[in-house]
Amino acid sequence: MLLYEIEKNPTLAFDYLERQVNDGSKSGFTDIHNTSIQTNPFYSDGYHIMKLVSKRRNIECFGTPNCDNNLFGDDESIFIHPDWLLPQNIGIISEVGTVEKGLWVIPTSSSRTVRVDGSDVYIKLHYPGVIGRLNRILGFQQLISGIEISSIFEEARHNNELPACFDYMPESYGRLFRDGQNEIGYIIRELPKTIKDCYLVPGFSLFSYDRNVLDAPQLLTQILERSNSPREFFFEEICFKLIDVFFGCALEEGLIPEMHSQNVVFAFNKKWEIEKIVLRDFESIDKDISIRRRLGKHTNFEEYPYKCISSDGQNYLKRHSFMYDHKLGEYLLDPLVECAASFLHIDTQDIRKNLRN
């Protein structure tokens, strides 16, 4: 994809980047375990999610949506992924309720997260199976943790406690179906108003190739070509800001973000300068209890110890290394470095040394 195509229609371009300017996870599992062809973001540009209407009135609502309540219907229904209707899954669903056609949605890179057509609302769904390497459940723990973390980010933004370049997609509302030990949930997230007029680019799209136009130059190269000082832009505006966001969240709020290339969205202004680095998907954020106590912040998380770590834990340092060195370092900074190095005529090892310093 070329930059002028993004400028022409930013909303459609963002959808396209999610699905098609996407090399998949470097783990290699993206193409091994994914959703059905009809809902796979690499093959589908839209479909209806389904709505499960409970027979037993056992659906709970959490949080308060910032968007139009009419999107969600009455409180006795919950959105589910269409793959619940596959033969291996339909028996579970048919026992607990009836299924109706729901909203028309656009798939995103995460496969089970979709954008409601005509809106800035995203719905993350429980998936009945494996995507990538893991089972993608969305139960009470995942749902309530996202809402709690959104609340922390909201307060931090109000108090100007995080870097000015930081923003996030709030997870303000969700629903949960419970039937014995079974939980099926969804959570919504929304684009922040601060980036309404920006060009949005998922982290992976900066260095991935367009699946339909293989000879198109990578977006990062195109953006660097537009900069008057490409080397300074790459270090100061991209790499250092990513590191600032990571350590801002960690040291000011005790939240250790999972900043791999799918969870980070770059918001560019009309001059292709970075306005915001936007964090999305809070399910895997670690809550560092030791740092939060030291900062005098609350540690009364509803599902403690879910995703909570502390300095007396056996894997404390490993968890920090996993999030910084592996997720941010190997899954986002490293491919950005590889992409920029040849254009900037800098050895990749020199760039890495600079970033470590």
Side-chain angles (χ1 to χ4, degrees):
M1 175 171 267
L2 301 177
L3 294 187
Y4 85 87
E5 296 176 274
I6 299 176
E7 295 166 346
K8 190 167 54 178
N9 193 322
T11 299
L12 288 180
F14 188 38
D15 291 339
Y16 183 85
L17 293 172
E18 288 266 20
R19 298 182 295 106
Q20 301 300 333
V21 187
N22 182 350
D23 289 343
S25 170
K26 65 185 296 181
S27 69
F29 283 92
T30 302
D31 293 322
I32 297 175
H33 300 297
N34 213 316
T35 62
S36 60
I37 292 293
Q38 293 79 10
T39 63
N40 187 315
F42 296 140
Y43 303 103
S44 171
D45 57 7
Y47 57 88
H48 283 101
I49 55 174
M50 309 309 290
K51 188 162 68 170
L52 173 66
V53 182
S54 172
K55 293 177 181 176
R56 301 174 186 168
R57 300 184 176 275
N58 48 357
I59 290 176
E60 300 172 68
C61 303
F62 299 89
T64 304
N66 297 320
C67 52
D68 183 3
N69 281 350
N70 293 327
L71 284 176
F72 308 109
D74 60 68
D75 291 351
E76 300 307 323
S77 65
I78 186 170
F79 292 125
I80 61 172
H81 194 280
D83 286 2
W84 277 103
L85 303 185
L86 295 175
Q88 64 268 33
N89 302 317
I90 186 61
I92 304 170
I93 292 297
S94 61
E95 292 175 7
V96 298
T98 58
V99 177
E100 302 173 358
K101 187 179 290 187
L103 301 167
W104 182 262
V105 298
I106 315 300
T108 71
S109 57
S110 78
S111 299
R112 61 165 172 157
T113 301
V114 295
R115 181 177 69 82
V116 178
D117 191 29
S119 78
D120 291 332
V121 176
Y122 291 77
I123 303 176
K124 183 177 182 179
L125 301 161
H126 180 121
Y127 187 74
V130 175
I131 300 175
R133 296 178 296 108
L134 303 170
N135 282 292
R136 304 295 176 172
I137 63 172
L138 205 163
F140 178 73
Q141 288 184 323
Q142 294 81 10
L143 193 161
I144 202 67
S145 187
I147 292 176
E148 288 177 330
I149 287 170
S150 291
S151 177
I152 292 173
F153 280 146
E154 180 62 30
E155 183 177 351
R157 179 163 61 183
H158 178 74
N159 295 330
N160 297 313
E161 292 176 341
L162 291 173
C165 65
F166 170 79
D167 214 329
Y168 66 101
M169 293 177 64
E171 298 182 352
S172 57
Y173 178 75
R175 289 189 183 180
L176 184 70
F177 166 83
R178 296 196 211 209
D179 183 52
Q181 297 298 311
N182 296 318
E183 295 182 343
I184 302 173
Y186 75 77
I187 194 164
I188 69 161
R189 68 173 71 120
E190 301 159 73
L191 288 177
K193 293 180 174 57
T194 55
I195 60 173
K196 184 177 181 181
D197 298 321
C198 291
Y199 303 136
L200 303 182
V201 179
F204 54 80
S205 295
L206 284 177
F207 52 80
S208 293
Y209 287 95
D210 191 325
R211 289 171 174 252
N212 299 307
V213 190
L214 294 177
D215 59 349
Q218 292 155 297
L219 289 177
L220 178 58
T221 301
Q222 297 180 56
I223 292 168
L224 292 177
E225 284 177 341
R226 291 212 183 181
S227 173
N228 294 326
S229 304
R231 178 171 177 155
E232 180 181 349
F233 179 87
F234 179 67
F235 282 110
E236 299 287 342
E237 296 300 308
I238 296 180
C239 297
F240 293 167
K241 281 186 174 178
L242 284 169
I243 294 170
D244 284 347
V245 166
F246 182 91
F247 284 106
C249 292
L251 300 180
E252 297 299 330
E253 295 300 328
L255 297 179
I256 316 302
E258 186 181 30
M259 290 177 61
H260 58 58
S261 61
Q262 185 172 280
N263 285 355
V264 172
V265 175
F266 291 89
F268 294 91
N269 64 22
K270 304 305 182 194
K271 297 180 181 178
W272 285 98
E273 301 162 336
I274 290 181
E275 285 288 318
K276 298 287 183 180
I277 290 176
V278 183
L279 191 63
R280 61 181 177 182
D281 199 343
F282 303 154
E283 180 180 317
S284 297
I285 289 179
D286 283 338
K287 292 158 279 196
D288 191 314
I289 301 303
S290 298
I291 292 178
R292 289 189 61 80
R293 283 181 181 146
R294 194 158 62 242
L295 293 170
K297 297 182 181 292
H298 83 82
T299 57
N300 56 327
F301 297 104
E302 188 156 350
E303 279 296 277
Y304 183 89
Y306 175 73
K307 298 302 292 180
C308 292
I309 60 174
S310 62
S311 57
D312 57 0
Q314 183 178 2
N315 294 317
Y316 182 67
L317 296 181
K318 287 183 178 180
R319 288 300 307 174
H320 279 288
S321 177
F322 180 73
M323 290 300 208
Y324 180 76
D325 298 312
H326 183 55
K327 293 296 186 175
L328 173 58
E330 294 181 18
Y331 276 75
L332 183 51
L333 285 173
D334 222 29
L336 288 171
V337 167
E338 293 285 350
C339 181
S342 58
F343 179 84
L344 298 174
H345 305 292
I346 309 176
D347 183 82
T348 56
Q349 291 305 316
D350 290 339
I351 297 179
R352 293 187 181 100
K353 182 179 178 181
N354 196 336
L355 298 185
R356 279 197 296 270
N357 290 338

